[in-house]
Amino acid sequence: MHGLMMRMPLMISSLIRHADRFHGDTEIVSRSIEGPIHRYSWHGAHVRARKLARALTRLGVRAGDRVATLAWNGHRHLELYYAISGMGAIVHTVNPRLYHDQLAYIVNHADDTLVFFDLTFAPLVAKLATECKGVKAWVAMTDRAHIAPDAPATLLCYEELLGAEDDEFEWPEFDENTASGLCYTSGTTGPPKGVLFSHRSTVLHAFASSLPDAKALSAQSVVLPIVPMFHVNAWGIPYSGPLVGAKLVFPGAALDGKSLYELFESERVTTSAGVPTVWLGLVHYMKQNDLRLSTLKMTTIGGAACPPALLHTLQDDYGIRVMHAWGMTEMSPMGTTATLKGKHLDRPASERNEVSLKQGRPLYGVDMQIVDEDGNALPHDGQHAGNLLVRGPWIACGYYGDDGDPTVDGWFPTGDVATIDADGYLRLTDRAKDVIKSGGEWISSIDLENIAMGHPAVAEAAVIGVRHPKWDERPLLVVVRKPGIDVTRDALLAFYAGRTAKWWVPDDVAFVDALPHTATGKLAKRVLREQFGDYALPEEVSSTDR
């Protein structure tokens, strides 16, 4: 027997239609690529998205076609999200920080029909156009006045396309499992892989990520997503924002501390989201200028482990609640958030912070387990570390254009090594490929990096395993010093005393001017391992049994 409920498919277009109908005057603010601040409302966004859908139809876009974007966080990018998916096509957000060869591979592999791009990426597009012959048209996301006079005559202008249309467009309804978005992984261990989201998975993810124990969004929220819309859909904020009717503030390409601070203050932002490196830059700017954020109450930090020193600074010095989160492209991306339970509220601050530094508890809709090398389930006791597996309605079961099945008995292997405690809190100890295996035991590079980041002279730190004749691998600490502050190798190694097991302490320190990062802002450990592949540890240390 079926329930007597209406069968209405979960459509991405329903999100912006809802925002227009019930939050139509709520603002959307963007720092435009051309320079000025752009303002309109959810009603205005909906009108322009419908015009864009008509323009796409006129350009020959059909259901299932892939339409790519090379764009920052802004109002035009938001319109593309809804126009493309809403008409039944697939929005393919391309990460411009990838290597050129990877970009060309992605556009060709996706068989993109059109590519929309911000002016920032015009030089990049000029090179890609010669290698991506399947693209029928390239569209500059600006008005005619800002297109260079020597631009190719075939180049289309975004505002001209919209200006030629009216908004008489009805969003079609179709199977909610229809593909809606395409996002490629950064391809650190091979060619990038395409993760194909659906309308159903996207709407469900928007619901879950808005909950109080996730991003805690509402119609009272003013949200500034620092995380780019080309990085797993800005962690779903362009979808959860209209679901609750929040005000959105887009920073465009200006992600430096000064620009972000000014936008936070002028728009009275209450919540945000971004990777640790951006927050480190913002904190540095505020400390240099003796500034505080007057309205920001909470931020989600993910993409990489939040250094304890950063969490303490934001929470203790600035009164900003830090929501540590974890996920991945294949998870749409949110999987866990480190929100406290009621029983934690009366515990000492040190215990609460220890919980907050974990990757967190699963959102409803995400199930997870850890297994050993033979696939046997391990206990959730916070002690046993194993390979992390996940499953759920917004978790990938395959890759675009790939007939292989990445799942194991219905579970997706994340490639992470982790513990899960009795309360369900996940704690990543490493990526499987980054864990340091010393004398048959595992050493967590993440834990060692977090300790180093607590030193007042350290701007950024990475820990990798280097070859050792006796122990197989030993940890090497690679450090970027803060400007104008000196620190010695011995001082950094002494800083570990009492903070971790003696045999975990790195054997040496290498000082560098900068650390390599992936296109999504994570430490590029593979590059570091290649760079220090022949590194010789000091004999007096490497011969010592730690």
Side-chain angles (χ1 to χ4, degrees):
M1 179 182 294
H2 290 160
L4 298 176
M5 295 289 110
M6 294 182 181
R7 296 187 180 182
M8 299 182 67
L10 299 177
M11 297 276 94
I12 286 175
S13 59
S14 69
L15 297 172
I16 194 168
R17 185 167 54 208
H18 169 81
D20 180 6
R21 186 171 297 171
F22 301 107
H23 308 279
D25 60 349
T26 298
E27 273 194 314
I28 300 170
V29 180
S30 304
R31 189 189 297 277
S32 69
I33 303 304
E34 296 88 349
I37 297 294
H38 177 275
R39 296 178 184 277
Y40 67 168
S41 63
W42 278 113
H43 172 70
H46 193 200
V47 168
R48 282 172 57 90
R50 294 199 303 270
K51 288 184 176 183
L52 182 55
R54 287 178 62 93
L56 291 170
T57 302
R58 196 178 300 277
L59 289 171
V61 175
R62 298 294 180 262
D65 285 350
R66 275 73 65 205
V67 178
T69 64
L70 273 164
W72 298 102
N73 293 9
H75 70 284
R76 294 186 181 110
H77 205 175
L78 181 73
E79 293 158 8
L80 283 160
Y81 265 46
Y82 283 94
I84 298 169
S85 298
M87 67 181 295
I90 300 168
V91 58
H92 173 202
T93 53
V94 180
N95 186 340
R97 295 171 177 164
L98 294 173
Y99 298 116
H100 177 79
D101 290 348
Q102 289 179 318
L103 289 171
Y105 170 85
I106 285 171
V107 172
N108 287 324
H109 186 267
D111 196 19
D112 292 321
T113 59
L114 303 176
V115 177
F116 287 75
F117 65 94
D118 272 332
L119 291 177
T120 312
F121 306 117
L124 178 60
V125 164
K127 296 179 181 178
L128 283 175
T130 63
E131 301 176 47
C132 303
K133 302 297 186 182
V135 177
K136 297 176 182 177
W138 301 79
V139 185
M141 294 166 62
T142 188
D143 54 29
R144 178 57 62 181
H146 287 89
I147 294 180
D150 59 349
T154 55
L155 183 66
L156 300 180
C157 172
Y158 187 95
E159 292 299 335
E160 286 182 349
L161 291 176
L162 264 68
E165 306 292 343
D166 60 42
D167 66 337
E168 293 297 320
F169 184 88
E170 292 295 328
W171 300 114
E173 282 195 359
F174 37 80
D175 188 331
E176 64 184 15
N177 292 297
T178 299
S180 62
L182 180 62
C183 183
Y184 280 74
T185 64
S186 55
T188 55
T189 58
K193 297 177 180 179
V195 180
L196 196 59
F197 310 112
S198 69
H199 285 256
R200 179 177 185 269
S201 70
T202 302
V203 174
L204 289 175
H205 181 270
F207 269 111
S209 62
S210 302
L211 291 170
D213 271 0
K215 293 193 182 76
L217 300 182
S218 77
Q220 300 175 26
S221 301
V222 182
V223 191
L224 191 155
I226 302 175
V227 56
M229 292 170 71
F230 56 71
H231 184 193
V232 208
N233 303 325
W235 300 349
I237 291 173
Y239 302 114
S240 53
L243 183 144
V244 300
K247 173 181 175 178
L248 294 186
V249 181
F250 291 122
L255 301 180
D256 59 284
K258 181 177 185 295
S259 298
L260 286 174
Y261 178 81
E262 291 174 351
L263 205 54
F264 272 111
E265 288 297 284
S266 64
E267 300 304 323
R268 301 186 61 79
V269 172
T270 62
T271 185
S272 185
V275 297
T277 51
V278 179
W279 287 104
L280 289 168
L282 180 58
V283 167
H284 178 68
Y285 173 77
M286 290 194 295
K287 285 187 173 181
Q288 275 190 324
N289 296 277
D290 193 24
L291 299 170
R292 297 183 67 84
L293 290 164
S294 60
T295 59
L296 187 68
K297 303 302 180 186
M298 186 185 110
T299 184
T300 302
I301 295 183
C306 179
L310 176 60
L311 182 140
H312 295 319
T313 296
L314 289 171
Q315 294 195 157
D316 301 339
D317 298 348
Y318 293 100
I320 300 168
R321 177 187 173 200
V322 174
M323 183 78 70
H324 205 193
W326 170 83
M328 55 196 305
T329 304
E330 290 88 343
M331 298 177 69
S332 299
M334 289 193 69
T336 64
T337 54
T339 50
L340 300 177
K341 292 188 173 185
K343 67 180 182 180
H344 297 130
L345 298 181
D346 294 330
R347 295 185 182 177
S350 59
E351 290 187 27
R352 296 198 304 271
N353 286 339
E354 185 177 343
V355 174
S356 297
L357 283 168
K358 295 179 180 181
Q359 276 61 47
R361 295 181 283 113
L363 305 179
Y364 171 79
V366 175
D367 195 10
M368 55 181 56
Q369 68 170 340
I370 49 175
V371 298
D372 63 18
E373 296 295 331
D374 297 322
N376 300 310
L378 294 173
H380 293 187
D381 58 6
Q383 301 299 319
H384 285 80
N387 297 310
L388 177 63
L389 309 179
V390 295
R391 63 183 179 185
W394 56 79
I395 295 173
C397 62
Y399 292 104
Y400 175 74
D402 186 344
D403 294 332
D405 185 355
T407 62
V408 179
D409 296 329
W411 293 83
F412 182 86
T414 65
D416 286 306
V417 177
T419 65
I420 302 175
D421 67 22
D423 287 325
Y425 285 91
L426 173 74
R427 178 179 172 274
L428 297 185
T429 60
D430 241 320
R431 292 290 291 170
K433 59 181 179 292
D434 293 336
V435 70
I436 300 166
K437 298 177 182 178
S438 183
E441 300 288 345
W442 285 0
I443 296 175
S444 169
S445 66
I446 294 175
D447 285 355
L448 297 183
E449 289 160 0
N450 285 338
I451 293 172
M453 288 294 294
H455 194 285
V458 175
E460 195 171 13
V463 174
I464 58 172
V466 295
R467 286 193 296 271
H468 188 279
K470 180 177 181 181
W471 304 112
D472 186 27
E473 284 185 326
R474 289 294 301 157
L476 170 69
L477 173 62
V478 187
V479 165
V480 178
R481 297 184 181 95
K482 287 183 179 177
I485 305 179
D486 196 15
V487 65
T488 65
R489 163 193 179 276
D490 290 344
L492 282 177
L493 296 182
F495 189 68
Y496 280 91
R499 292 179 168 88
T500 190
K502 185 178 179 183
W503 67 275
W504 273 38
V505 177
D507 278 14
D508 205 5
V509 180
F511 293 99
V512 296
D513 294 330
L515 291 174
H517 293 83
T518 69
T520 54
K522 298 177 183 178
L523 287 170
K525 297 272 186 88
R526 178 180 59 82
V527 176
L528 281 177
R529 285 192 290 268
E530 292 173 357
Q531 182 180 344
F532 292 94
D534 298 324
Y535 192 88
L537 294 168
E539 292 185 7
E540 69 274 13
V541 176
S542 62
S543 62
T544 301
D545 185 349
R546 287 191 183 271

